[in-house]
Amino acid sequence: MTDGIEPIYYQKKEVACVYRKTITVKNIRFLTTPDNAFQIGIHDRKLPIKLSPHTHNCPKPLSIPEIQELLFVIKGKIRIRIVTDTKKLIAKKLLSEGDAVLFKSQAHGVEFLGNARVFEVKQGPYPGDAHAKHYL
């Protein structure tokens, strides 16, 4: 763990990453690598800054081999578990208000510890309830 960033590895591959609210940022800091399907960054701006209206270029059609998911804890606490497809525990982490986790691959479970409010983002389009998840 360095600087509030806790990567989680399985078989030498980063399968998830926990981002603690203690991450240091000067102006803007991107937390994911440029080749990652999700580009996650934090802005910490001290001066009045105005970003001009813009769109994002897509130089070639995107191919996303795995659906990634980001959870940001707004309030309360959650416990996450990352497991293999045979239910072998890879990691277990407690997240509190201001912490986030990016699930990149492997299976994951989330336990809401009391009242919690969590902001979730994942890639779409959404295939509907019947096809969205595969439970182990």
Side-chain angles (χ1 to χ4, degrees):
M1 178 176 80
T2 61
D3 190 26
I5 300 174
E6 302 173 20
I8 299 167
Y9 293 95
Y10 178 67
Q11 296 180 339
K12 300 181 181 180
K13 178 182 175 187
E14 187 177 308
V15 297
C17 192
V18 172
Y19 304 107
R20 301 292 181 185
K21 62 184 169 188
T22 57
I23 294 172
T24 57
V25 177
K26 185 177 181 180
N27 295 322
I28 186 169
R29 180 176 178 186
F30 278 88
L31 307 175
T32 51
T33 58
D35 64 331
N36 196 70
F38 265 7
Q39 295 297 296
I40 298 171
I42 298 175
H43 290 258
D44 189 4
R45 308 291 188 163
K46 303 298 185 207
L47 301 172
I49 292 176
K50 182 178 182 180
L51 301 177
S52 297
H54 63 282
T55 61
H56 295 268
N57 296 328
C58 186
K60 61 181 180 179
L62 299 177
S63 174
I64 301 171
E66 298 172 311
I67 301 296
Q68 295 187 10
E69 178 177 5
L70 176 81
L71 300 179
F72 176 80
V73 181
I74 296 170
K75 72 176 184 181
K77 293 182 180 182
I78 63 172
R79 181 175 294 116
I80 59 151
R81 291 183 312 119
I82 297 142
V83 299
T84 66
D85 57 1
T86 60
K87 299 183 183 179
K88 176 185 171 193
L89 182 66
I90 297 170
K92 182 171 32 173
K93 299 274 184 174
L94 179 68
L95 280 72
S96 301
E97 182 176 315
D99 294 337
V101 61
L102 174 62
F103 298 116
K104 295 171 115 181
S105 64
Q106 299 298 321
H108 58 274
V110 180
E111 180 182 358
F112 288 77
L113 304 174
N115 295 334
R117 184 178 179 109
V118 174
F119 184 82
E120 176 180 335
V121 179
K122 66 180 158 229
Q123 291 149 324
Y126 185 67
D129 291 344
H131 302 287
K133 295 177 183 172
H134 168 75
Y135 292 95
L136 302 181

